[in-house]
Amino acid sequence: MNAPNRTGHIRLTSHPEPGSAALRFPIRWGAPTAAERGPVIASTTNPADRNVIGAHGGSYSVYRALAISARAMNPSQRPDLTNTHPTAEIAPQPQWADPKKIVSLDPFGHTVAQDFGKLIGEGIDIRPSIAITKARLNLPEILAAMGAHRLAADGHILHPTGDISVTKIAVDPVWYLPGIAERFGTTENELRRTLFEQTGGMYPELVTRPDLKVFLPPIGSITAYVMGEVSALADPKSRIACRVHDECNGSDVFGSDICTCRPYLTHGIEECVKEAQSGGVGLIVYNRKEGRALGEVTKFLVYNARKRQEGGDSAATYFERTECVAGVQDARFQQLMPDVLHWLGVTHIDRLMSMSNMKYDAMVESGIAIGERVAIPPELIPLDASVEIEAKKAAGYYSPEGAPGDNALKATVGRDLDKF
């Protein structure tokens, strides 16, 4: 793939320059400090400095290319990171130095300006992949919970207006390819080849640059919303309530009643507020995995197929119709989902607002202890979503009985996870 760089010189983008030396900035994944690990450089302002495959911004990198094509943006533009530092500190955790715990995000992605300030000052284009800010959330369901006296304003977490004070964290994907391959039970070479082929050859470096071990895929990001002190997430004595939620635009934003996504999300937020008000911390993790990571077009096609089949929509054929259209029942898998929890230092969750066995198993197998699993209250399930719930129960995706054992706290550090 020949392409002109910004000086007009033609170079082969998928191969090192002839006779080139080792990477100027090698990445040592799993190193305990940012300096030892090295910076992640995906910017194109100086191609010789690049040490990863892909581009900053995940799925939004294409819009940057469009802005440059429209001559609305200078391709050599570098971000001014003045005053962009995090509003809450997330200090290094032991999990950051374990290359098996975190493989899908850069644990130092939020402190780039501090950790690599000297290099940035020298002209190296290093960019954050994580941003942390403060905000307030306002949802009609929270106002309804206050009206029903399930929630009361405290002026700190929940305000009389119904606003919820949160710390918001945006995380762009940064994949360590050897670790990703291990999570999915394949080889790094096979993973690289499949990624290359199934993106239509979009990233030739996947197969021509085995020396580049880190990939910034063009996929959606993660957003975490923390109610209470962020630092408490890493405290083994803190009580933690958590909802890990996969995107459903139709329900989450527009209130479609064919699934339980928004009701479960708002129920999770309500329970997180209660936990934070009682001295613990609440955590919502929102993953961009629309339509079970199959996309909204596929999801709507499946809706049509389900409702038009003989006999109408039914739990018995729910996943069958999905697989007929998409080729797989669910492409989320959840193997990478616990990484953001490890980055936050989470070792236990007291109350998990989820009955998904896939999520539960992924967390427990990664070393996170789970206490109680909290089902969505029956009165919050839309009538048209009953098929979804029953199908998930029948397929073993959803356990109405909750976690094995009692519902008391089981998340003691050092406990034997095999006992539940």
Side-chain angles (χ1 to χ4, degrees):
M1 292 191 53
N2 290 332
N5 66 14
R6 59 194 176 95
T7 63
H9 172 63
I10 302 294
R11 68 184 294 268
L12 197 60
T13 59
S14 59
H15 294 75
E17 293 284 3
S20 64
L23 291 172
R24 182 182 178 191
F25 299 103
I27 295 176
R28 301 177 182 88
W29 199 268
T33 68
E36 294 172 88
R37 203 285 311 279
V40 170
I41 307 174
S43 48
T44 58
T45 50
N46 185 1
D49 290 339
R50 285 171 53 86
N51 59 4
V52 303
I53 303 164
H56 288 293
S59 60
Y60 292 97
S61 60
V62 174
Y63 288 101
R64 182 179 184 275
L66 287 176
I68 293 170
S69 297
R71 294 178 173 79
M73 181 178 182
N74 183 341
S76 299
Q77 173 69 32
R78 293 176 53 198
D80 179 354
L81 298 176
T82 304
N83 291 330
T84 62
H85 57 277
T87 58
E89 182 182 4
I90 297 181
Q93 303 296 325
Q95 295 95 317
W96 295 16
D98 185 343
K100 293 185 180 296
K101 292 288 187 185
I102 298 177
V103 300
S104 62
L105 60 87
D106 175 7
F108 302 101
H110 60 307
T111 53
V112 161
Q114 302 95 294
D115 293 333
F116 301 109
K118 184 174 183 296
L119 288 176
I120 292 172
E122 293 172 358
I124 309 302
D125 192 353
I126 309 169
R127 306 187 183 191
S129 60
I130 299 174
I132 305 171
T133 190
K134 297 284 188 182
R136 288 191 180 187
L137 306 182
N138 190 291
L139 300 99
E141 291 88 347
I142 296 301
L143 288 169
M146 295 173 71
H149 304 292
R150 297 196 308 271
L151 286 176
D154 61 273
H156 175 56
I157 301 296
L158 180 61
H159 301 271
T161 57
D163 290 353
I164 306 168
S165 291
V166 298
T167 298
K168 280 202 307 190
I169 306 168
V171 182
D172 276 341
V174 178
W175 286 6
Y176 177 57
L177 291 172
I180 298 286
E182 184 175 347
R183 289 275 181 95
F184 283 88
T186 188
T187 65
E188 182 186 344
N189 285 342
E190 179 66 17
L191 174 67
R192 286 172 172 267
R193 184 181 64 81
T194 304
L195 287 170
F196 171 70
E197 292 176 350
Q198 295 304 315
T199 57
M202 184 183 293
Y203 298 100
E205 293 91 346
L206 285 166
V207 293
T208 63
R209 293 292 304 272
D211 58 318
L212 300 180
K213 300 292 186 181
V214 175
F215 175 42
L216 277 57
I219 61 174
S221 58
I222 300 168
T223 310
Y225 297 84
V226 183
M227 290 146 240
E229 295 299 323
V230 177
S231 59
L233 290 168
D235 184 348
K237 296 180 182 178
S238 293
R239 282 190 56 86
I240 298 173
C242 177
R243 165 74 181 165
V244 176
H245 189 89
D246 292 327
E247 179 183 26
C248 177
N249 184 64
S251 179
D252 296 343
V253 178
F254 294 100
S256 170
D257 67 350
I258 198 170
C259 62
T260 59
C261 296
R262 181 180 174 93
Y264 221 149
L265 175 61
T266 57
H267 170 63
I269 293 172
E270 180 177 336
E271 294 302 310
C272 284
V273 168
K274 290 178 183 176
E275 196 66 68
Q277 287 181 321
S278 64
V281 58
L283 172 63
I284 302 291
V285 177
Y286 194 89
N287 296 292
R288 273 19 178 243
K289 295 179 182 176
E290 179 63 62
R292 298 195 214 115
L294 299 170
E296 207 163 35
V297 169
T298 296
K299 180 164 74 171
F300 288 7
L301 293 174
V302 171
Y303 285 167
N304 289 345
R306 283 169 47 195
K307 290 179 177 291
R308 288 172 176 164
Q309 65 188 341
E310 186 177 351
D313 198 9
S314 72
T317 59
Y318 180 90
F319 287 108
E320 178 187 341
R321 295 308 297 137
T322 301
E323 192 165 3
C324 285
V325 175
V328 64
Q329 293 182 3
D330 193 328
R332 292 173 297 174
F333 300 110
Q334 306 298 350
Q335 281 94 327
L336 305 179
M337 175 269 292
D339 286 25
V340 68
L341 302 175
H342 291 305
W343 174 66
L344 290 165
V346 172
T347 57
H348 71 278
I349 295 171
D350 298 83
R351 303 185 75 236
L352 177 66
M353 273 62 74
S354 173
M355 306 306 289
S356 165
N357 288 338
M358 294 174 69
K359 293 176 183 176
Y360 173 82
D361 291 344
M363 292 179 190
V364 171
E365 288 168 9
S366 76
I368 296 172
I370 307 295
E372 178 186 4
R373 286 203 278 179
V374 182
I376 183 172
E379 63 271 19
L380 295 183
I381 300 174
L383 181 62
D384 208 24
S386 59
V387 170
E388 175 203 54
I389 288 290
E390 293 307 313
K392 289 182 176 180
K393 290 178 181 177
Y397 283 25
Y398 184 99
S399 289
E401 297 82 13
D406 60 47
N407 287 332
L409 175 64
K410 302 172 185 178
T412 305
V413 175
R415 59 188 289 284
D416 185 357
L417 292 173
D418 293 331
K419 291 180 180 176
F420 73 99

